[in-house]
Amino acid sequence: PDGFALRPPELVTSGQRSLSLSRALFVWRRIERREPPDSGPRCPWPQPRRSRPRSAVRRASSQQSSVPTRFAPTMALVDEIKGALAEADPFASWWPFVVAAIVFIVGTVRAYMGGQPCPNTNTIPGRVVVVTGACGGIGSEVCRELARRNAHLVLACRNPEQQQQQQQNLLVELRRLGASGAELLALDLASLDSVRRFAGQLLTRHRAIDALVNCAGVIFHPAGTTTDGFEPHLQCNFLAHLLLTQLLLPGLARSSHGPGRIVNVVAHGYTAGRIAHPDGDPLNLRQRLAGRDAFAHSKLAIVLASRALAQRLPPASTTINCCTPGLVRGTGHLRHSPIMRALFARILTYPWMWLFMKSPAQGAQTIVRLVTDPALHGHTGGLYNDCELVELAEQAKDEQLAERLYRAALEAIGLPEESSK
């Protein structure tokens, strides 16, 4: 093999015998490794020249002539790359597995934290839906999704004059998405007079209202009082929305598409809400709360008042439910948070917010279901999270506390008890 020919023993000298044995051992080792004849190190002695068949010579010459000379370096590079890819071993390093594991974990966490999408896809053409806080955050995403379902949207925004161009662009976008109508009205929840003007204008334009989404709110608002003398979280999150709901109850009762639907947006933080004097001061008017404590109390008040109002409204006429959108990023609510004041803290926080918090579109899914799902016809007094009915915290189940807080809230906003019946 390999051009080596055995000679008769009598014609082989001692030097030739040692050379022949070493050459045979070299060839045998190559055969054991199953190497092709032209691979590996060359034999240290001259090899006999092998002649190729004429057909192979003609084929090689034709292949060489078919490739232009100017492409020879490129073809050599391509052959080199092909050889490198053929010899590459993806299992030779752990890095591909580490990267794949990280991508899988991040994708799984984001999918889980994103929550469940709205399970129904039915449209609500022509139905009048009022959304507070509609010009940003979760409220704008609620409007976009309802526009895709052909609703007639009434956007309640705080500063129509200051953000006129942005809000006009949103109206154009909603009509393009399929809204049967879109209009903008001014509403400042920090002023109860503004709430009354808004309700009057709305009922003048629309005799019947199909749904009301109380989505606007504040968190970590600077300490102080509103023009009506209330703590900002208590008024903007709870009292103003309660007044708006009471004023729009006649229009909601006239809905021709089943019972009018009221959706109050709360937060998981309602479980941390505390009422210092449940018997005498359920609104904590004598307490100086600020920041997180004031926000949690206002959300607890929404849940309690919603349960009390659900007992007064016939489900065949009007339903009221609460929902938690979850932890949502990009809404602007954290602009007053102490964590967001330091640049270094923001840099450290944003990646974790991206990983563990929902986008505004994901946070809007539960609200959209409560407004549109026909399966929830007649359901009232519940709390929903990730599009599913969830159990209330123990403090929110106190019906007597709910009654006292509801009556105190009506007195605070200047409405008699009979107006809510």
Side-chain angles (χ1 to χ4, degrees):
D2 199 23
F4 175 71
L6 294 176
R7 297 181 180 180
E10 63 274 9
L11 299 179
V12 179
T13 64
S14 61
Q16 290 175 338
R17 184 180 293 109
S18 61
L19 181 62
S20 301
L21 290 176
S22 62
R23 186 177 180 186
L25 181 61
F26 174 80
V27 174
W28 177 252
R29 287 177 178 173
R30 289 176 57 181
I31 294 174
E32 281 187 333
R33 291 195 297 267
R34 298 182 179 180
E35 297 178 357
D38 294 333
S39 65
R42 297 185 58 84
C43 186
W45 50 81
Q47 297 288 328
R49 183 175 181 180
R50 300 183 184 85
S51 61
R52 290 190 297 176
R54 293 183 178 179
S55 61
V57 174
R58 288 195 300 269
R59 184 166 58 251
S61 62
S62 63
Q63 291 177 356
Q64 293 177 0
S65 62
S66 63
V67 179
T69 305
R70 64 178 182 275
F71 293 137
T74 304
M75 297 303 298
L77 180 60
V78 171
D79 293 339
E80 184 178 351
I81 294 174
K82 287 182 179 179
L85 292 176
E87 296 176 1
D89 185 7
F91 300 100
S93 173
W94 286 100
W95 282 111
F97 297 97
V98 173
V99 173
I102 293 175
V103 171
F104 174 77
I105 293 174
V106 170
T108 302
V109 171
R110 291 204 66 190
Y112 177 78
M113 299 303 295
Q116 177 182 345
C118 181
N120 62 295
T121 59
N122 60 291
T123 60
I124 50 173
R127 298 190 187 183
V128 178
V129 182
V130 182
V131 183
T132 67
C135 295
I138 300 175
S140 61
E141 293 298 331
V142 170
C143 292
R144 289 186 178 94
E145 183 60 32
L146 294 178
R148 295 185 184 97
R149 301 180 183 228
N150 310 125
H152 183 105
L153 295 166
V154 179
L155 283 65
C157 298
R158 182 177 54 182
N159 297 318
E161 295 82 9
Q162 297 180 7
Q163 303 175 352
Q164 185 175 4
Q165 185 60 42
Q166 177 184 355
Q167 293 166 359
Q168 291 300 324
N169 293 339
L170 179 59
L171 291 177
V172 173
E173 179 184 1
L174 295 178
R175 297 187 183 101
R176 180 179 56 82
L177 289 174
S180 57
E183 52 189 305
L184 182 67
L185 291 177
L187 173 63
D188 184 6
L189 296 175
S191 170
L192 297 182
D193 290 336
S194 175
V195 175
R196 295 185 178 93
R197 288 194 300 270
F198 173 84
Q201 294 175 3
L202 181 61
L203 292 176
T204 301
R205 297 187 182 189
H206 302 280
R207 184 176 180 274
I209 301 171
D210 298 290
L212 169 63
V213 180
N214 293 319
C215 188
V218 296
I219 183 174
F220 296 113
H221 194 280
T225 58
T226 64
T227 56
D228 299 289
F230 298 106
E231 195 276 329
H233 294 86
L234 180 65
Q235 176 165 336
C236 296
N237 295 348
F238 172 53
L239 292 178
H241 279 137
L242 178 62
L243 175 60
L244 178 62
T245 301
Q246 296 289 335
L247 296 177
L248 296 183
L249 282 179
L252 289 164
R254 288 191 289 265
S255 173
S256 59
H257 301 93
R261 301 190 181 195
I262 304 171
V263 180
N264 289 328
V265 179
V266 295
H268 291 291
Y270 87 93
T271 58
R274 296 292 180 265
I275 297 177
H277 303 284
D279 296 330
D281 185 22
L283 297 180
N284 283 347
L285 297 178
R286 296 194 296 266
Q287 301 294 319
R288 284 189 170 271
L289 299 178
R292 180 180 59 185
D293 295 333
F295 173 79
H297 171 260
S298 67
K299 296 302 182 180
L300 175 61
I302 294 174
V303 176
L304 290 171
S306 299
R307 287 177 54 81
L309 184 57
Q311 299 294 327
R312 290 167 167 77
L313 298 176
S317 172
T318 309
T319 63
I320 180 170
N321 291 285
C322 298
C323 70
T324 59
L327 297 174
V328 181
R329 64 181 183 273
T331 61
H333 287 91
L334 297 179
R335 61 185 179 273
H336 298 301
S337 172
I339 299 178
M340 296 292 106
R341 294 175 184 173
L343 177 62
F344 183 72
R346 289 201 300 269
I347 295 175
L348 293 179
T349 304
Y350 281 148
W352 299 106
M353 293 172 61
W354 175 84
L355 180 61
F356 291 105
M357 299 178 72
K358 295 180 180 179
S359 66
Q362 292 171 330
Q365 297 303 305
T366 305
I367 303 173
V368 173
R369 188 197 176 191
L370 289 174
V371 173
T372 63
D373 196 349
L376 299 180
H377 183 89
H379 289 235
T380 188
L383 175 65
Y384 289 78
N385 178 56
D386 283 340
C387 298
E388 299 292 340
L389 183 66
V390 296
E391 187 176 358
L392 291 168
E394 290 300 323
Q395 189 174 10
K397 296 179 181 178
D398 191 337
E399 295 185 359
Q400 295 181 355
L401 176 60
E403 284 293 325
R404 289 194 297 269
L405 184 141
Y406 180 75
R407 292 175 182 174
L410 290 180
E411 182 180 355
I413 59 179
L415 288 180
E417 170 70 16
E418 292 77 10
S419 64
S420 63
K421 294 183 180 180

